[in-house]
Amino acid sequence: MMRGATMPDRKVEAVNEQARSLTRLIEGEIIPRLLAAHTSGPLLESVGEPLSMITAEEVAAFAPLALQVEADELLQHVEGLVARGISYEMLLVDLLAPAARHLGELWDDDRCDFVDVTMGLWRLQEVVHELSGSSRTGVHDDHRFRRALFASLEGDQHSFGTVVVDEMFSANGWLTDRLNEVSTDELFRYVRAEAFDLIGLTITCDCHIAALPSIVRGVRASSRNPRICVMVGGRVFAQNADLAAAIGADGTAPDARVAVRVAGELVDAVAREAVSAMTG
């Protein structure tokens, strides 16, 4: 159902509630199970030229397929890229995440049904699951004591970006937690109860921008770890990275790959400051 269509308010709300319930089921239960297999080995690329690249044209051609075909057909397309030399990390950051953003733009522009977008995201997540068994080798535990919480705020109903970031950090040795569509009160209670080195907020709804400074201050004031690092991400920060500092965050990154590196640098810097303070 398009948002511009006319329908009695009660029926509209019933349809919207069904869509929200489906989204919560997918993001709160199905996705964590799909990603549970990703527990060892780094995703960060080694230094050197990649074997191949994913082009903007390929992303533009791939994204609509998530609305048109089933997950097994999507997987066949992706397997062709794997055969070409595309890594799992590149698939995740340079193909699947941009494809999910494109679906969100279709919804924002009233060119696509909410439920269709949700099912498209589910198909993309099925592809993530099917690729999981062959993407990593070795053990990477340099960051085994680092803990991160990733959250999308109320109203951010499509949070595939949070899934991607959570997956990337977990695959690179971080202990991660993820909250979907969390209220600020719930978020503050969570960081008060558990000690995190980093919290990452994914913002896809512009309605949250004005409240972000107070949310960031609230996270710091509530945090069990007084030295917690706060990162923010999403379309608005990709367009204006300086906004992250303006709202009080420690950093941002244009994609999940860079976010892992930036977060490591932030947490390392905080650790050095703590040691310096203790040693005088």
Side-chain angles (χ1 to χ4, degrees):
M1 187 192 72
M2 303 299 288
R3 287 186 292 178
T6 60
M7 181 178 285
D9 291 345
R10 195 172 300 173
K11 192 172 182 181
V12 171
E13 180 56 32
V15 172
N16 287 340
E17 181 56 34
Q18 289 178 345
R20 286 192 292 268
S21 297
L22 177 59
T23 302
R24 293 189 188 101
L25 174 65
I26 292 171
E27 296 181 343
E29 298 183 26
I30 296 176
I31 300 172
R33 294 173 189 168
L34 296 182
L35 299 180
H38 297 276
T39 56
S40 65
L43 274 182
L44 294 181
E45 297 285 350
S46 58
V47 176
E49 292 296 320
L51 293 177
S52 188
M53 300 291 290
I54 295 174
T55 66
E57 291 75 17
E58 287 175 312
V59 174
F62 176 79
L65 292 178
L67 301 174
Q68 301 165 5
V69 304
E70 295 305 318
D72 57 348
E73 293 183 62
L74 283 180
L75 182 62
Q76 290 176 10
H77 183 92
V78 171
E79 286 175 339
L81 297 176
V82 173
R84 201 178 80 195
I86 299 295
S87 69
Y88 176 77
E89 178 196 355
M90 198 174 293
L91 289 170
L92 191 67
V93 177
D94 298 331
L95 179 68
L96 298 176
R101 285 195 295 272
H102 179 72
L103 297 187
E105 290 167 0
L106 293 179
W107 159 246
D108 288 338
D109 295 340
D110 284 330
R111 289 183 287 158
C112 194
D113 183 287
F114 180 91
V115 176
D116 284 343
V117 170
T118 299
M119 293 307 299
L121 292 175
W122 183 83
R123 294 179 186 118
L124 294 178
Q125 291 147 10
E126 281 285 304
V127 172
V128 173
H129 170 59
E130 293 298 328
L131 292 172
S132 65
S134 60
S135 62
R136 298 171 197 156
T137 58
V139 177
H140 182 70
D141 61 359
D142 291 346
H143 309 312
R144 61 189 178 278
F145 299 120
R146 293 176 174 177
R147 192 172 181 198
L149 170 66
F150 301 103
S152 61
L153 301 177
E154 282 183 314
D156 285 336
Q157 294 170 327
H158 293 308
S159 53
F160 189 75
T162 309
V163 174
V164 169
V165 172
D166 184 12
E167 165 69 357
M168 288 287 288
F169 275 72
S170 178
N172 282 278
W174 290 65
L175 299 176
T176 65
D177 289 56
R178 179 162 53 88
L179 300 174
N180 297 316
E181 285 197 79
V182 65
S183 69
T184 53
D185 287 342
E186 291 174 307
L187 179 62
F188 297 159
R189 283 197 297 270
Y190 210 85
V191 297
R192 188 179 297 118
E194 304 285 345
F196 295 98
D197 298 295
L198 175 85
I199 180 168
L201 301 175
T202 301
I203 311 301
T204 62
C205 180
D206 291 345
C207 64
H208 293 307
I209 300 302
L212 273 179
S214 63
I215 293 174
V216 171
R217 288 194 300 269
V219 165
R220 296 192 194 280
S222 304
S223 177
R224 187 170 179 177
N225 173 15
R227 297 177 179 272
I228 193 170
C229 298
V230 179
M231 289 187 66
V232 290
R235 173 180 50 81
V236 66
F237 298 103
Q239 296 171 347
N240 181 10
D242 292 338
L243 182 60
I247 59 97
D250 297 302
T252 186
D255 58 47
R257 180 192 296 116
V258 178
V260 173
R261 298 189 178 105
V262 172
E265 293 169 359
L266 289 173
V267 172
D268 284 348
V270 167
R272 287 194 296 269
E273 289 176 5
V275 171
S276 177
M278 288 187 295
T279 59

